[in-house]
Amino acid sequence: MTGDQNGRHRAPDTNDATAVIPRITERPKDAPVRPAPTARPHPRPLDFPADARNPVRDVPVTPGPTLRPPAPEPGPDVTAVIPKVMPPAATRVTAPDATAVIPKVTVSPAPARVVAPDATAVIPKVVDETAVIPKVPSPKTPATQSPDMTTVMGAVPPAPAKPDPADLPAPVAPRRGERVVRLRAENVGDDYKSVYSELTRPTVWSRIRSGIRVGGELMITFGLVVLLFAAYEVWGVGVVQGGKQDSLANALEQQWANEPGDDPTVGPTAGTGGLGSKIHGIAKLYIPALAQEWVVVDGVTQADIRYAPGHYPDTALPGQIGNFSVAGHRNRATFWRLDELNNGDSIVVEDKENWYVYHVVKTRIVKPTQVEVVAPVPMLPGSKPTKAMVTLTTCNPKFDNYQRLIVHGELVRSQPKSQGDPAELKG
């Protein structure tokens, strides 16, 4: 048997002659208890009168009239045959066996009514308890729901509310240079393709970018090496050259003290501070405007002028008629600031016995091939000199050597060292 929405029990087949019994509502606690109806005895024929009885069996006896119950009016077949009510498998019933106990009612073959109008079937109340079954969480259950949620059997859970498209955040457009990729793996049949496969697969452009990146890193490294070398040439060489100049000055003082004659080109008799036996000083050069002084060595090769200015061997000596020419590197330890000299600035040269004071008369920039600047008469090779001059040469511009910076000076006076230092050095 099955139950409908109103609580009535009905047979699966509508032609089944099963009594339909309305649902018994719950009786109030203070209502009087109605006594159960007593079963009425079945009517039977009346007994024969005493005088009609005959103990003799072979004597015929005429029986009296038999009283029969009135025939019931025709009506629907309401045979009270109620099967046992079995609770559903998923329903938990706490009441006892709810089998309807109904007194047996005799019916005639023809449709008839129940004789006793008050023979109402008494059926125990079935407790309406809906079984509560825990809901099995599905993989699609949101993580925000409680894992112990329960659902009422037979009730359909409400569908989750869909968010309003207006409440959703607007999609952010990718910026220039960005690429949007899916975060989930793509099903390609028998396998899945990782989302990183397209990003990590080498392509022509990725190889080009890698080559450019490696080349850029190499260029940066090379640039750093060049900068370190330039820093060494500017500051490191100056520190080293300062130490070498001190050694040259000590060697030159010993040389002048031990020389037998007045020839300043005689080789030194003492050590030169590790510069080699062929490298020796011939004079000292002072530029008061730059607060610089150097020992001038004999020779203009790279080995000669590495740590000191060098004298051109074929030019005049300090104080002589002609051109006393000196070359030096353009670094901070030598002729770095030579371009700052102006006309009239003093250039002082010291030899073993005298001081020679020159004044700057001209500054020019020439090509490296213009060697006539160191001629006895500057820029006029083959001419006979009439003046004592000094010429300082160095590279130009700074950090390069495709030009030469030339400074010319003329001798204005000389004085013996026994008279003390010249006034230009005292200021």
Side-chain angles (χ1 to χ4, degrees):
M1 297 180 69
T2 60
D4 57 3
Q5 296 179 355
N6 295 329
R8 300 185 179 92
H9 298 277
R10 59 182 179 83
D13 190 359
T14 55
N15 296 326
D16 190 3
T18 304
V20 178
I21 301 175
R23 182 177 181 179
I24 305 303
T25 59
E26 185 177 359
R27 180 177 57 83
K29 296 181 178 180
D30 54 352
V33 180
R34 182 179 178 181
T38 57
R40 183 174 295 179
H42 192 276
R44 58 186 180 84
L46 300 178
D47 297 334
F48 293 104
D51 54 0
R53 296 179 180 178
N54 191 354
V56 183
R57 300 181 62 180
D58 59 347
V59 177
V61 179
T62 302
T66 303
L67 297 180
R68 296 179 179 272
E73 296 180 0
D77 188 4
V78 290
T79 306
V81 179
I82 301 177
K84 181 178 181 180
V85 179
M86 298 297 295
T91 305
R92 179 168 54 86
V93 181
T94 59
D97 190 3
T99 304
V101 180
I102 303 177
K104 183 177 181 181
V105 180
T106 303
V107 296
S108 60
R113 294 181 305 173
V114 179
V115 176
D118 56 350
T120 304
V122 179
I123 302 176
K125 177 183 177 181
V126 178
V127 179
D128 187 7
E129 292 185 0
T130 305
V132 179
I133 302 177
K135 181 179 180 180
V136 179
S138 63
K140 296 183 179 180
T141 303
T144 56
Q145 293 184 0
S146 176
D148 58 348
M149 292 183 62
T150 57
T151 180
V152 179
M153 185 178 63
V156 178
K162 295 183 178 180
D164 189 359
D167 298 337
L168 297 177
V172 180
R175 295 179 294 181
R176 183 177 180 181
E178 292 182 345
R179 182 181 178 186
V180 180
V181 296
R182 297 193 308 173
L183 298 179
R184 293 186 178 180
E186 180 182 358
N187 189 351
V188 292
D190 297 338
D191 201 352
Y192 287 88
K193 182 173 66 175
S194 172
V195 296
Y196 301 102
S197 60
E198 295 182 1
L199 301 178
T200 57
R201 184 183 298 112
T203 60
V204 176
W205 289 109
S206 65
R207 291 188 175 94
I208 293 176
R209 288 194 298 269
S210 299
I212 294 174
R213 186 183 303 110
V214 172
E217 292 176 355
L218 292 177
M219 293 179 65
I220 292 173
T221 304
F222 179 74
L224 291 176
V225 172
V226 171
L227 289 177
L228 292 175
F229 177 75
Y232 170 77
E233 287 293 327
V234 173
W235 291 285
V237 171
V239 175
V240 175
Q241 190 168 352
K244 299 297 183 181
Q245 281 287 320
D246 293 339
S247 299
L248 285 172
N250 294 332
L252 183 60
E253 293 292 340
Q254 293 179 10
Q255 174 184 333
W256 287 342
N258 297 328
E259 283 182 354
D262 296 333
D263 187 2
T265 61
V266 177
T269 59
T272 57
L275 296 177
S277 59
K278 295 183 179 181
I279 300 176
H280 60 277
I282 62 173
K284 288 184 180 181
L285 178 66
Y286 301 86
I287 301 180
L290 304 180
Q292 295 287 338
E293 63 176 280
W294 304 272
V295 174
V296 179
V297 298
D298 189 20
V300 290
T301 63
Q302 292 295 328
D304 294 333
I305 64 175
R306 184 175 183 181
Y307 302 111
H311 168 247
Y312 286 90
D314 296 333
T315 63
L317 293 175
Q320 295 180 353
I321 300 298
N323 191 2
F324 175 58
S325 301
V326 178
H329 284 304
R330 192 74 179 271
N331 54 38
R332 291 186 177 273
T334 315
F335 290 162
W336 181 261
R337 299 170 57 193
L338 196 63
D339 58 333
E340 299 179 12
L341 290 178
N342 300 317
N343 292 342
D345 290 341
S346 300
I347 299 175
V348 180
V349 180
E350 177 189 5
D351 64 8
K352 180 180 178 180
E353 296 180 352
N354 299 306
W355 295 97
Y356 304 97
V357 179
Y358 298 84
H359 284 178
V360 176
V361 295
K362 190 172 183 63
T363 301
R364 69 179 77 200
I365 296 176
V366 299
K367 295 179 180 179
T369 57
Q370 292 181 270
V371 294
E372 59 269 20
V373 295
V374 296
V377 179
M379 305 304 294
L380 295 174
S383 299
K384 186 176 181 179
T386 59
K387 299 179 181 179
M389 300 189 65
V390 63
T391 299
L392 306 180
T393 66
T394 188
C395 299
N396 189 73
K398 295 177 180 178
F399 302 109
D400 211 332
N401 61 353
Y402 61 89
Q403 293 176 340
R404 295 292 184 267
L405 175 64
I406 310 298
V407 177
H408 297 292
E410 293 183 357
L411 180 65
V412 294
R413 67 185 179 88
S414 62
Q415 70 179 49
K417 294 175 64 175
S418 60
Q419 297 181 1
D421 296 338
E424 287 78 7
L425 297 181
K426 295 178 181 179

